[in-house]
Amino acid sequence: MQAKKLRLKENKIIHDILRGDKEAFGHILEKYKRLVFHIVFRMVVNRCDREDLCQEIFLKVYKNLTYFQYRSKLSTWIAKIAYNTCLNHLQKKDVQLFKEHNKMEPDWENMSFPDHNPAEQFEINELSCRLHEEISKLPVHYRSILSLFHYEGLSYSEIGEITNLPEGTVKNYLFRARKILKSQLIEKYQLEEMI
Amino acid sequence: MMRHLTSEDIQNYLDGQFNDTKKGKFIEHIKQCLFCQYEFENYQQLYSVLEEEPFVNLSQGFDRKVMAQIEKITPEKSIFLNPAVLLYTGLSIWAGILISLYYTGLRPYVKLLSYSQLLIYKMMEPLYRLFDKIFSNAMGELSAAGLIIIFILAVVDYIIIQKRYSLLRFKN
């Protein structure tokens, strides 16, 4: 019921935007910038390119809102635009999508952490750094699917719709990515603890 | 020999893909098999770290920059791609022709063309005379029908089409 109310509210905002109320787009921007940035952050290495891409994505969302036909959730539609924009950007830069990528530098300036006590914070920071490092070595599709599943809580079918991959392939990539991360991260971390 | 759980089994369980029966068997096995318990705990730890990733913020003023760019975009109503408008235009022209023919009839046009020596007119003449006969009798009714159709379409367009889809074309 709650979800239906939210959806109706969102449809009203879309309707207002299409009738020329540009300020209403601020609600869409506020609600979905986290989703867009997560996708961009995972797919694009270059820090300078990320924010430009996020802006480009939201402009595309605004210009193409008239073509949104309510067949999927707005979040899925926006995520698809974000994903395709990033893919086009990477293809222009001639990045190999299925090969392991260069290491991504942690974005210390822009990171924020949930509230924890200092000892916990240190441990989480360290694990997060290692996780970030290991994820950055995965191919682009693996990274983006991991992000969509774990940070956005999307289902296999929603991820499939965004990435234009069959559900089975999404599941396959997700499982493989996690298997790689588990063996790289957990075992290395536990080995260091023993030492 | 007990079959160990695969990586896929553990991930399917953690992703909530198992039904109650499979879940029960999975948990039962974990309780009995230390190796699988170790693997399961490793995956649990990975999942918890994946879900704990810090949120990366955009720069200050990002929203302002995007809204500023959106302000520059001018929406432009595209008349030519609006099917309802095309329909109105076509029907309005048709209604106009019918009304003018009602008052003037085809006779003057047939008379005018009858002076023409063009062969193609001589071939078309029977057709013109046929149209003249039809329109003279039914002109009033056809005009009224045309106007009523346009009115109904206008109402339908406003209620359904305009509200549902407004076609805005943007220029940068």
Side-chain angles (χ1 to χ4, degrees):
Chain A
M1 190 69 181
Q2 186 70 6
K4 197 179 176 183
K5 272 186 184 172
L6 285 169
R7 201 147 179 190
L8 283 169
K9 190 180 173 189
E10 203 166 69
N11 290 350
K12 194 194 170 298
I13 291 172
I14 294 169
H15 183 71
D16 290 341
I17 294 166
L18 291 175
R19 288 177 74 91
D21 181 4
K22 290 181 180 180
E23 292 300 317
F25 191 75
H27 296 285
I28 305 276
L29 184 58
E30 188 54 42
K31 194 173 175 186
Y32 295 111
K33 65 181 176 185
R34 182 179 169 273
L35 165 68
V36 166
F37 195 74
H38 268 152
I39 293 169
V40 172
F41 179 75
R42 275 286 162 239
M43 292 180 76
V44 176
V45 176
N46 192 309
R47 219 174 288 167
C48 301
D49 287 346
R50 282 179 193 154
E51 198 152 302
D52 290 341
L53 272 172
C54 287
Q55 284 187 31
E56 189 186 326
I57 288 161
F58 277 109
L59 289 177
K60 279 186 183 175
V61 167
Y62 180 71
K63 288 178 191 176
N64 291 292
L65 205 53
T66 194
Y67 298 112
F68 176 61
Q69 293 184 345
Y70 306 89
R71 284 182 196 155
S72 64
K73 288 196 280 187
L74 183 63
S75 57
T76 310
W77 185 76
I78 291 174
K80 191 165 185 170
I81 292 175
Y83 183 81
N84 288 333
T85 306
C86 290
L87 266 188
N88 292 339
H89 172 81
L90 292 172
Q91 280 164 354
K92 271 186 206 168
K93 298 234 169 181
D94 204 25
V95 169
Q96 297 290 319
L97 300 176
F98 282 95
K99 283 195 172 173
E100 288 185 1
H101 209 277
N102 292 326
K103 196 164 83 174
M104 281 161 67
E105 294 295 325
D107 197 354
W108 295 114
E109 288 164 21
N110 288 321
M111 276 189 185
S112 69
F113 298 87
D115 292 329
H116 288 282
N117 69 50
E120 273 178 3
Q121 190 68 62
F122 179 75
E123 202 174 310
I124 289 165
N125 289 2
E126 208 184 332
L127 259 176
S128 286
C129 289
R130 287 168 189 261
L131 176 71
H132 184 81
E133 208 175 298
E134 295 301 328
I135 291 175
S136 70
K137 294 176 191 169
L138 296 172
V140 169
H141 286 310
Y142 287 23
R143 298 202 301 258
S144 50
I145 288 170
L146 269 175
S147 178
L148 289 168
F149 186 86
H150 285 285
Y151 312 141
E152 301 304 327
L154 300 177
S155 64
Y156 301 148
S157 62
E158 281 171 326
I159 296 172
E161 202 182 319
I162 290 164
T163 57
N164 206 31
L165 292 167
E167 203 175 307
T169 307
V170 169
K171 195 172 169 179
N172 194 12
Y173 285 179
L174 192 57
F175 280 25
R176 258 194 247 165
R178 291 194 288 226
K179 197 173 178 180
I180 293 168
L181 285 175
K182 188 216 73 155
S183 61
Q184 293 296 318
L185 186 70
I186 302 296
E187 286 165 9
K188 264 188 203 172
Y189 196 60
Q190 286 179 349
L191 187 66
E192 284 175 14
E193 273 187 338
M194 283 162 66
I195 295 165
Chain B
M1 194 174 149
M2 199 191 301
R3 185 190 79 91
H4 290 304
L5 296 168
T6 61
S7 155
E8 285 73 28
D9 290 331
I10 297 171
Q11 291 186 69
N12 270 318
Y13 174 80
L14 289 169
D15 284 356
Q17 297 293 303
F18 280 169
N19 57 33
D20 290 340
T21 313
K22 278 186 174 173
K23 260 190 220 172
K25 285 183 183 171
F26 182 92
I27 292 166
E28 209 45 55
H29 180 92
I30 290 288
K31 282 180 188 172
Q32 295 167 15
C33 177
L34 283 174
F35 177 79
C36 291
Q37 201 177 87
Y38 171 76
E39 284 292 295
F40 178 64
E41 281 166 8
N42 279 339
Y43 271 106
Q44 271 188 317
Q45 194 173 9
L46 173 66
Y47 270 59
S48 68
V49 175
L50 277 172
E51 278 149 23
E52 276 280 344
E53 170 160 315
F55 170 54
V56 183
N57 291 317
L58 288 157
S59 67
Q60 300 279 348
F62 171 78
D63 290 19
R64 201 173 14 90
K65 283 182 210 168
V66 172
M67 293 308 291
Q69 294 208 39
I70 282 171
E71 285 300 322
K72 291 180 194 169
I73 299 170
T74 311
E76 187 182 291
K77 275 198 194 283
S78 167
I79 294 169
F80 300 106
L81 293 177
N82 187 329
V85 170
L86 281 173
L87 199 57
Y88 290 156
T89 311
L91 284 170
S92 303
I93 292 169
W94 177 239
I97 291 170
L98 291 176
I99 290 165
S100 63
L101 287 174
Y102 175 74
Y103 287 108
T104 62
L106 261 179
R107 287 199 176 92
Y109 302 108
V110 173
K111 206 173 174 181
L112 189 71
L113 289 168
S114 69
Y115 294 114
S116 167
Q117 297 300 307
L118 287 170
L119 183 65
I120 195 162
Y121 167 70
K122 289 189 188 298
M123 286 162 66
M124 295 293 284
E125 197 181 331
L127 197 63
Y128 289 136
R129 293 198 188 281
L130 176 67
F131 279 173
D132 186 38
K133 214 181 255 184
I134 295 166
F135 288 143
S136 304
N137 294 331
M139 271 318 298
E141 287 82 1
L142 275 171
S143 303
L147 288 170
I148 289 165
I149 288 167
I150 289 169
F151 178 72
I152 291 169
L153 282 168
V155 171
V156 166
D157 176 66
Y158 180 74
I159 292 169
I160 297 170
I161 298 169
Q162 291 285 357
K163 281 197 170 183
R164 183 75 174 82
Y165 300 109
S166 30
L167 293 174
L168 300 176
R169 294 286 174 267
F170 297 93
K171 57 183 178 187
N172 288 326

